[in-house]
Amino acid sequence: MRGGQRVVTGTRITLGKRKNRARQKQKLSFTLISISKISFWDTHSLPISIYSIRGASELLEEIEFAAKKGATTSLFNKLSALRMDFSNAGKKLYTADQKSKKPSERYLESEFALCNLVLQGGGVLGLAHVGFIAGLEAAGVRFAGLAGTSAGAIVATTLACARGASMRTACSDRLIQLLSEMPMDLFIDGPPGTRLAIKRMLAKRNLFTLPILFGIYSSLVRFTQRRGLNPGIAFENWLQTKFREMGVETIGDLDQLLESIHEELKSASNSNKDIVPEVFKPGYMLRVVANALPSGIKFEFPRDTRYLAPKYQNGSPAQFVRASMAIPVFFEPKSFEPNKEAWRERLQYSLSDLDASQRLVDLENQPELFFVDGGTLSNIPVDAFARRMPGIPTLALSLVKWSNPDKQRYVFRRSLRGAVTDAALLIESMRRQRDRDALERLREPDDTLPDNRFQLVSVDTKDADWLNFTMGNAEMADLFMIGLRRAHNYIVVGG
């Protein structure tokens, strides 16, 4: 029992009717036949919380205890040096080394460490982000700016909606409830033949059957006509419903929340321009990255919504999350009509010295902009807050695979498979170079900025497949725990 609610973990009870006729008359006449292991998500009728995940509560308690006692790692201490005190009406902001408090006295309910959070894209691997966030919140960390691409955009925007008008709000439990309700099949919402072919392919089952071959053919036709296999509408509508339940129905509603966070931060900083520069605007508090085609210009929503037709301002934030997660081929691009005048100015600013004037005219006259996954330009926007909020440390979470190096070892092959592999590596190197350049700039010494301004933490997602939108509940729980264990290692153990 937890909070008056029954929590079931670890086992599934398979029930069958007894043959006894007398007991068959009873409404609930079942008998225990077998017991098999399942994850907590198999019990959809029960409300899900972090504490219903096996092993989660123990790790969270260890993190919270270590944070209260000041027994945390040096890396985490650097990140959490900037703290916010909400106990007074003035909401003072201070750094830990400016306080005379003993470490055991620092963690009060009204006091939190403060950082910006950047989340890498990675398909379903983004579930690990939620586990890491749960660990940070247990250690008394709250988030000023939020940024993300693709799966990172889903988590960052949901966090921005769930926390409401105050950074003090802990959101990880609400995030995990949302994820426990997420129907993974909604990501695959193409025609029946396409859905069947994708699911068989992801499950690595035989594709050489007549229905599957027909599905593959129809998928190729759909791709040539729509540039994607799945419209992505089902997930966007589901996310829109969830945002509405959080009180965020339009982009305007989200802007109001970001304005409140901005005012809270300004009030807490006590006019400290190193923390919140005068040029910093509320729209910078959330940055969701997407790639606008055919221009190839990077958009950062919700700020860049002004380059779209005014009607989209009344739409849900789910629409720009959908734009950021439009994985090429897998999803259709998300289309928007531009605001002609504002878009013309943006093109002149971004491309006037790089493209021919006739191309700019062509781009200005495009009736629609087509958005694909932001990871094609910046999969982990590490510099999202480098210029705008340099006084607040930034933590970026990357999703990597270190567990099986044999599968990742490069071997030059004189074959079609080898040529395809090399082409994929070429595209991947171009896609990542922008983030590598940004990371190198952040790591350059700068005496004008605090030495804790940026940290990059890698989360090993093991052998999980980033495109496995058919993954089961146990695999989803495993990814959450991977993120939480990495947070525990970062905060308590070290490394």
Side-chain angles (χ1 to χ4, degrees):
M1 298 290 288
R2 185 174 185 86
Q5 296 173 341
R6 183 183 170 214
V7 177
V8 178
T9 64
T11 59
R12 172 189 288 141
I13 300 178
T14 307
L15 300 174
K17 292 183 179 180
R18 287 189 181 276
K19 295 182 179 180
N20 190 310
R21 292 183 179 179
R23 295 194 177 185
Q24 282 183 344
K25 295 179 181 179
Q26 298 177 11
K27 291 182 179 179
L28 295 174
S29 54
F30 302 104
T31 182
L32 178 64
I33 294 177
S34 64
I35 297 177
S36 59
K37 291 183 179 180
I38 63 167
S39 80
F40 70 97
W41 264 311
D42 287 302
T43 315
H44 281 288
S45 60
L46 298 175
I48 301 304
S49 75
I50 288 175
Y51 294 96
S52 64
I53 306 174
R54 290 191 304 277
S57 59
E58 291 83 356
L59 287 177
L60 291 170
E61 287 170 4
E62 286 184 31
I63 292 172
E64 186 176 1
F65 180 80
K68 286 181 177 178
K69 296 299 182 183
T72 49
T73 64
S74 58
L75 268 178
F76 177 73
N77 290 340
K78 282 186 177 181
L79 175 78
S80 59
L82 187 67
R83 300 183 181 279
M84 179 176 285
D85 184 1
F86 292 92
S87 58
N88 300 319
K91 302 185 183 70
K92 297 177 182 178
L93 191 77
Y94 57 86
T95 56
D97 57 3
Q98 294 172 340
K99 297 296 291 182
S100 59
K101 286 183 178 182
K102 297 177 181 178
S104 61
E105 297 174 340
R106 286 181 186 160
Y107 274 82
L108 305 176
E109 289 186 0
S110 60
E111 179 180 324
F112 302 101
L114 189 66
C115 75
N116 302 313
L117 185 65
V118 177
L119 303 175
Q120 182 180 1
V124 297
L125 304 183
L127 293 166
H129 286 320
V130 181
F132 201 101
I133 290 170
L136 290 176
E137 289 190 341
V141 178
R142 296 295 184 268
F143 313 109
L146 297 165
T149 298
S150 195
I154 297 174
V155 177
T157 308
T158 302
L159 185 57
C161 295
R163 70 180 176 181
S166 176
M167 288 177 287
R168 288 171 285 178
T169 308
C171 302
S172 51
D173 199 55
R174 192 162 187 179
L175 287 176
I176 199 62
Q177 288 183 34
L178 180 76
L179 293 174
S180 72
E181 299 166 359
M182 182 188 297
M184 296 296 283
D185 278 357
L186 288 184
F187 288 97
I188 306 174
D189 62 345
T194 299
R195 294 201 304 269
L196 181 60
I198 291 174
K199 291 179 180 180
R200 290 289 289 262
M201 189 177 300
L202 292 175
K204 298 180 180 179
R205 297 174 63 185
N206 179 27
L207 299 178
F208 296 100
T209 64
L210 187 59
I212 301 301
L213 291 175
F214 176 78
I216 292 174
Y217 171 76
S218 63
S219 297
L220 291 174
V221 172
R222 181 180 181 82
F223 174 72
T224 59
Q225 295 176 346
R226 299 173 180 266
R227 300 297 189 270
L229 303 181
N230 298 286
I233 296 173
F235 178 76
E236 181 181 342
N237 290 341
W238 179 82
L239 195 61
Q240 179 178 336
T241 300
K242 293 304 174 182
F243 286 166
R244 186 185 301 116
E245 291 173 0
M246 298 176 190
V248 180
E249 191 162 358
T250 67
I251 293 176
D253 294 335
L254 178 59
D255 286 341
Q256 289 182 6
L257 295 183
L258 297 177
E259 179 72 40
S260 298
I261 298 291
H262 185 248
E263 289 300 318
E264 185 178 48
L265 191 57
K266 284 201 304 183
S267 175
S269 68
N270 197 21
S271 301
N272 185 341
K273 292 182 175 137
D274 291 334
I275 303 300
V276 187
E278 290 183 355
V279 296
F280 190 79
K281 306 299 182 185
Y284 296 122
M285 304 296 293
L286 175 65
R287 312 189 86 164
V288 170
V289 179
N291 182 0
L293 296 178
S295 66
I297 289 177
K298 184 177 78 168
F299 266 56
E300 292 182 339
F301 293 109
R303 182 196 67 180
D304 289 343
T305 308
R306 64 182 184 269
Y307 299 118
L308 305 180
K311 63 181 179 180
Y312 297 112
Q313 191 67 29
N314 296 322
S316 170
Q319 62 187 332
F320 61 69
V321 174
R322 165 66 180 84
S324 180
M325 57 170 266
I327 301 169
V329 182
F330 194 89
F331 287 115
E332 296 175 13
K334 177 69 176 176
S335 62
F336 294 95
E337 297 174 18
N339 180 327
K340 293 292 187 180
E341 191 62 35
W343 179 233
R344 182 179 298 110
E345 293 176 2
R346 176 66 186 271
L347 287 170
Q348 290 295 328
Y349 176 80
S350 299
L351 300 179
S352 60
D353 295 326
L354 297 173
D355 270 320
S357 57
Q358 183 55 50
R359 173 168 164 76
L360 289 181
V361 172
D362 291 341
L363 292 174
E364 288 173 7
N365 293 327
Q366 288 292 325
E368 289 182 303
L369 306 180
F370 299 94
F371 287 85
V372 297
D373 195 302
T376 57
L377 292 179
S378 179
N379 203 32
I380 178 168
V382 293
D383 56 348
F385 306 105
R387 288 193 306 115
R388 302 295 182 180
M389 266 199 300
I392 298 177
T394 293
L395 177 67
L397 297 182
S398 68
L399 303 171
V400 298
K401 286 188 176 184
W402 290 341
S403 297
N404 196 339
D406 289 337
K407 289 185 177 181
Q408 302 178 49
R409 185 175 291 115
Y410 175 77
V411 178
F412 179 80
R413 294 183 175 89
R414 300 180 185 276
S415 63
L416 178 60
R417 177 184 175 187
V420 171
T421 299
D422 289 349
L425 287 173
L426 177 62
I427 295 172
E428 184 72 3
S429 65
M430 292 188 293
R431 187 174 71 89
R432 289 190 174 188
Q433 191 55 48
R434 188 262 169 203
D435 291 336
R436 290 193 191 105
D437 290 341
L439 186 58
E440 288 178 7
R441 286 193 295 270
L442 285 171
R443 286 172 170 169
E444 291 175 356
D446 190 336
D447 295 335
T448 65
L449 296 172
D451 60 359
N452 69 331
R453 62 178 173 142
F454 177 78
Q455 289 185 29
L456 177 65
V457 177
S458 299
V459 180
D460 180 7
T461 56
K462 304 188 184 300
D463 292 326
D465 184 353
W466 70 283
L467 269 179
N468 185 12
F469 293 110
T470 61
M471 70 164 42
N473 298 326
E475 294 170 291
M476 294 170 68
D478 287 344
L479 279 170
F480 172 87
M481 287 302 295
I482 283 173
L484 180 55
R485 290 190 189 99
R486 184 65 181 96
H488 178 267
N489 185 268
Y490 168 72
I491 297 167
V492 180
V493 180

